[in-house]
Amino acid sequence: MLLFLLLLLGSPSSSAAGPGVTARTLSPCYSADLRPASSSLVSAVGCTVLLTVPPLNTSQVVFWEYQSGPWEGVILSYTLDGATNTSRPYENRTRFNETDSSLQLVLQKGDDGLYRFSSGLETTDWFQLRVLEPLPEPEIVGNVSVKAGGSTKLVCSVLGGKVDSYWWKKNGELLLGSDHIQFVDHGTLCILKASMNDSGYYTCVVRNEVSQNEASFLLHVLNSPNVVLPVILACVVVGSLAGVFVWCRRRGRQRL
Ligand SMILES: *[C@@H]1O[C@H](CO)[C@@H](O)[C@H](O)[C@H]1NC(C)=O
Ligand SMILES: *[C@@H]1O[C@H](CO)[C@@H](O)[C@H](O)[C@H]1NC(C)=O
Ligand SMILES: *[C@@H]1O[C@H](CO)[C@@H](O)[C@H](O)[C@H]1NC(C)=O
Ligand SMILES: *[C@@H]1O[C@H](CO)[C@@H](O)[C@H](O)[C@H]1NC(C)=O
Ligand SMILES: *[C@@H]1O[C@H](CO)[C@@H](O)[C@H](O)[C@H]1NC(C)=O
């Protein structure tokens, strides 16, 4: 009989489906979805989620639990005499509501995992929380100028966070691929046989489930650099020679 009881206590996962946790991301949070979800939710590092439970029969002590891979532990426990005991990794970033037993949590990178509430008498099902990193502003690497007729490429990359999709805009308008504009790999734009028309602001947009960010790059297509530069230099040289000539003549006259 004792053995049976121990087995029963030792295997909480064998119990039938319990009441469910509902969660939602609180505003503001990048561009994450703020609607409540009932078995899993995607949210972002730095955002706050609110985990709520239906009314349950409670005993003297209730607790919120976390599980991720082999790691399992108590986030916080609350005794009905009014003491909340929060475990160290959750200090200063959780708020337990004593009235409805909900939990507010400011997310960090390692919070991806399963959450459940136990009232001592009843335990909810595990709720899955996916915690993604919001994308920082991307970086675009490329040459700021290219000669007409030449090819160039702009490489857009993001340090940190996982990008779901990339796209490009030129002067604010969506850029479509063609023979002469090609998108290769993830985030690389190739411009083949550049013409003057290809000059402009190129914007790389990156997106994942919780965020969107972008950066711009000004590209200059030079028509005939071999002609323009010497002409400018020649003008400057002629101009200064003319200046020296006038100056010499003035000094010559003053001496006379
Ligand atoms: C809080 O919980 C930890 C571990 O769960 C325990 O070691 C500690 O004694 C508790 N503190 C209080 C004040 O109950
Ligand atoms: C929480 O805040 C208190 C007081 O500011 C501080 O002493 C403690 O180290 C903080 N805990 C964590 C885990 O940051
Ligand atoms: C706790 O929950 C109750 C009932 O949902 C709500 O009225 C109250 O404002 C909440 N308290 C806090 C501090 O959020
Ligand atoms: C820029 O252009 C120079 C010379 O045309 C080339 O050597 C260099 O690799 C280019 N840099 C990038 C980032 O494309
Ligand atoms: C460049 O743009 C002008 C007007 O925007 C257009 O008439 C011309 O056909 C374009 N040339 C090329 C090579 O795309």
Side-chain angles (χ1 to χ4, degrees), residues 204-250:
C204 168
V205 187
V206 292
R207 188 178 173 84
N208 69 9
E209 281 175 88
V210 296
S211 65
Q212 180 170 317
N213 216 327
E214 61 179 52
S216 293
F217 189 93
L218 179 59
L219 179 71
H220 241 56
V221 180
L222 305 173
N223 202 2
S224 318
N226 302 345
V227 176
V228 174
L229 194 61
V231 167
I232 292 174
L233 279 178
C235 290
V236 170
V237 170
V238 167
S240 21
L241 281 178
V244 168
F245 179 68
V246 169
W247 182 75
C248 287
R249 275 187 52 164
R250 282 209 185 127

Side-chain angles (χ1 to χ4, degrees), residues 141-145 152-153:
V141 176
N143 274 323
V144 292
S145 61
T152 191
K153 68 177 180 184

